[in-house]
Amino acid sequence: MAKGLQGFSWTMLLLLCAIQELGFWAVHVAAEGPGLGQPGDPALLATGRVKRGWVWNQFFVVEEYTGTEPLYVGKIHSDSDEGDGSIKYTISGEGAGTIFLIDEITGDIHATERLDREQKTFYTLRAQARDRQTDQLLEPESEFIIKVQDINDSEPRFLEGPYIGSVAELSPIGTSVMQVMASDADDPTYGSSARIVYSVLEGEQHFTVDSKTGVIRTAVADLDRETQDRYEVVIRATDMAGQLGGLSGSTTVTIVITDVNDNPPRFPQKMYQFSIVETAPVGTAVGRVKAEDSDVGENTDMTYQMKDEEGVEMFRVTTDSNTQEAVITVQKPLDYESKKVHTVVVEALNKFVDPRFVDLGTFRDQTIVRVSVLDVDEPPEFWPPSNMMEVQEDAHVGSVVGVVTALDPDKANHPVRYAIDRSTDTERIFDIDANTGAIVTGKVLDRETAGWHNITVLAMEADNHSQVSRASLRIRILDVNDNPPELATPYEAAVCEDAKPGQLIQTISVVDRDEPQGGHRFYFTLAPEATNNHHFSLLDIKDNTAAVHTQRVGFNRQEQDVYLLPILVVDSGPPALSSTGTLTIRVCGCDSSGAIQSCNSTAYAVSATLSPGALIALLVCILILVVLVLLILTLKRHHKSHLTSEDDEDMRDNVIKYNDEGGGEQDTEAYDMSALRSLYDFSEIKGGDGARGLGEGVPSGNPASERHALPQWVQSPDLDFSMFRDYICRKVEQADEDLSVPPYDSFQTYAFEGSGSPVPSLSSINTWSSSSEQDFSYLGGWGPRFRQLAVLYAGRRGEEDGEES
């Protein structure tokens, strides 16, 4: 078949070439007007007239030439060519010199290469005729076209593949699926090389294709996605209008069958069984069931519902949107003792129903679910579940408030014990009988302190305390009239001296901590001790208030500035309780308009006349004065303590230690005794004799001088210790009067020495002679501070007297 086709092609090619050859021999046909030559060209005109030029026809060359010799295309010729070879023909342009060659003498053009029309359909060239000797143009340059003649060498191609289409299942016959289109590279204007027709090679049992448009349609009406969800259809495209010798190409089209909701949900089982303990809380999942649906996507979306009354009451069914399962949960508390097995009916139905397929049957299905309740040991249950009791606040300790009852719901019916959660009754106001559940008062109640009590009662099995139930109990304390009424505040009133009879002074009200059910009702009268009162009257207004009015003309605060009015208040009971309150009435001076100006009570007048700003300013001034006084006292005390510390310098702070031992009292070279004397100021001791120095060295008015100006003892036969006595007495008196000085003993030494040494004595008390007649008994009268001193010297005097005797 291919050889026949090739022979046919070459036959047509030779026919075309013959036609072209006949046309090119006539290229010298004269043409009027400008042609290849231009008027007035001296190279072209020999006699001064326009010569006839050439007229170009379109050249044709057959594509895909496979011969060994160059393919003759055509011939160019000028009418001035006399055949003597004096004219040279040349061409330029597309493919000139490579694809197309020209004979310079004859003007014959040949194609030297194999051409393909699908790559290039025509070539544009320019022809020239020149004088071979002078190389001058004999004809003006002219353009011509060589067109490549098409042959049927390209098969149709499906350039947009692969093709994937879709169609819904159960679509009617002739439903359009998609369109395919092939293209042919051959020339559509020449012959039938590019005329394409379509046909089905594979899949013609289910689909057809339009031979001209390439539209694929369904061939049957029973396409079922659940049976086969895709088809592979082969479509062929043939050129030459499908005639013998035409070329063809094919493609595979994948057709996907889309789903429609044509299948109802179906439960795989007709019965499901689940079990759950009776103590499962509400909302606990019992189990899951699922209906199967052969469809896909949203066509499988379904909802579930209960179809019987028992199931609706005890259980609830919901749809899991992710898995499309029915979730069965507990809706009411279960009780094994009441019912051991529950049977419910669950129905599944499609959410989206296609009305086109309603006639296929009902799109719903049902199944039975049996739920078995498992028995567990449950804690006692309070019955009835009462949560409030009442008791009178005057109930005696041990009075019964009420009884709580709890029962064991299990078949064993174990005995129940009761208790109170003490974290809710820390004060142990109530107690409960462990066996009967009777709640009694444990302490005296007071509604005014606590009107409500919230306690938690525990009920547990007698032999298993881990099974505990709790119940909240509110106990209301009922009021009894056990509090007398009292005045709302300690009332104080003021009355002007020029008050008239019947003038309102004060309106009083009372408070009562009790809360009777019928409300308060109080009665006001003057107390019996105020029966002789002729100054004021009391009016009961009947709205639980009373008004006090004046009963006389004018008051004199010089005679009496304060009146105390006792008022008796009685409540409505029962029993009726009363109390007496006192209204204080002050007599004040008023101006002509009745405004109070002053009262005898300074506090009352100040509080009535001074503004808050004035009171604050007054308090600030008082505070500043107190701070100043305290500051002055502190400074004075500090100054006095400073002077006292200078005057009363303790000799204990002026101790000089030296550790060398000399040769006794006769050794005057071992130590300089002037170091001891330098501690004292002897500048005030004037005169050479000891008696005069001693008398002048102790001034009476300056304590500092008394301390530092110590007398220098000199040897004298007549010893007088009165100066020491006076000095010590003054020190004692100063110490007793100065309360800031701490009570510590003071021991002072004085620089006196005996007569056997040239150094003055180191003691102010020891005598220079053992035969001194000084009496130290008076030291015993100086008080406890000098008791040790008196013992030392009084005892020493007694020893000396004994030695002398």
PDB file of all heavy atoms in Angstrom, residues 134 231 374 408 668:
ATOM      1  N   THR A 134      29.996  43.971 -19.621  1.00  0.00           N
ATOM      2  CA  THR A 134      30.029  45.241 -18.865  1.00  0.00           C
ATOM      3  C   THR A 134      29.429  45.097 -17.460  1.00  0.00           C
ATOM      4  O   THR A 134      29.542  46.011 -16.655  1.00  0.00           O
ATOM      5  CB  THR A 134      29.264  46.323 -19.626  1.00  0.00           C
ATOM      6  OG1 THR A 134      27.878  45.913 -19.727  1.00  0.00           O
ATOM      7  CG2 THR A 134      29.851  46.525 -21.012  1.00  0.00           C
ATOM      8  N   TYR A 231     -13.114   4.503  32.402  1.00  0.00           N
ATOM      9  CA  TYR A 231     -12.983   3.802  31.126  1.00  0.00           C
ATOM     10  C   TYR A 231     -11.839   4.434  30.336  1.00  0.00           C
ATOM     11  O   TYR A 231     -11.640   5.664  30.381  1.00  0.00           O
ATOM     12  CB  TYR A 231     -14.276   3.893  30.301  1.00  0.00           C
ATOM     13  CG  TYR A 231     -15.440   3.137  30.912  1.00  0.00           C
ATOM     14  CD1 TYR A 231     -16.284   3.760  31.835  1.00  0.00           C
ATOM     15  CD2 TYR A 231     -15.713   1.817  30.569  1.00  0.00           C
ATOM     16  CE1 TYR A 231     -17.361   3.090  32.393  1.00  0.00           C
ATOM     17  CE2 TYR A 231     -16.782   1.133  31.120  1.00  0.00           C
ATOM     18  CZ  TYR A 231     -17.596   1.777  32.040  1.00  0.00           C
ATOM     19  OH  TYR A 231     -18.653   1.099  32.584  1.00  0.00           O
ATOM     20  N   LEU A 374     -24.655  -3.006  83.654  1.00  0.00           N
ATOM     21  CA  LEU A 374     -23.892  -3.830  84.594  1.00  0.00           C
ATOM     22  C   LEU A 374     -24.055  -3.283  86.002  1.00  0.00           C
ATOM     23  O   LEU A 374     -24.014  -2.079  86.232  1.00  0.00           O
ATOM     24  CB  LEU A 374     -22.408  -3.829  84.192  1.00  0.00           C
ATOM     25  CG  LEU A 374     -22.093  -4.294  82.764  1.00  0.00           C
ATOM     26  CD1 LEU A 374     -20.595  -4.215  82.507  1.00  0.00           C
ATOM     27  CD2 LEU A 374     -22.620  -5.704  82.532  1.00  0.00           C
ATOM     28  N   ASP A 408     -29.697   2.256 100.556  1.00  0.00           N
ATOM     29  CA  ASP A 408     -28.745   1.596  99.670  1.00  0.00           C
ATOM     30  C   ASP A 408     -29.506   1.111  98.444  1.00  0.00           C
ATOM     31  O   ASP A 408     -30.427   0.287  98.560  1.00  0.00           O
ATOM     32  CB  ASP A 408     -28.093   0.417 100.401  1.00  0.00           C
ATOM     33  CG  ASP A 408     -27.007  -0.241  99.554  1.00  0.00           C
ATOM     34  OD1 ASP A 408     -26.710   0.296  98.469  1.00  0.00           O
ATOM     35  OD2 ASP A 408     -26.462  -1.273  99.970  1.00  0.00           O
ATOM     36  N   THR A 668      62.505  58.392 146.936  1.00  0.00           N
ATOM     37  CA  THR A 668      61.847  59.503 146.217  1.00  0.00           C
ATOM     38  C   THR A 668      62.318  59.600 144.777  1.00  0.00           C
ATOM     39  O   THR A 668      61.900  60.496 144.050  1.00  0.00           O
ATOM     40  CB  THR A 668      62.133  60.834 146.943  1.00  0.00           C
ATOM     41  OG1 THR A 668      63.537  61.029 146.981  1.00  0.00           O
ATOM     42  CG2 THR A 668      61.559  60.794 148.340  1.00  0.00           C
TER      43      THR A 668
END
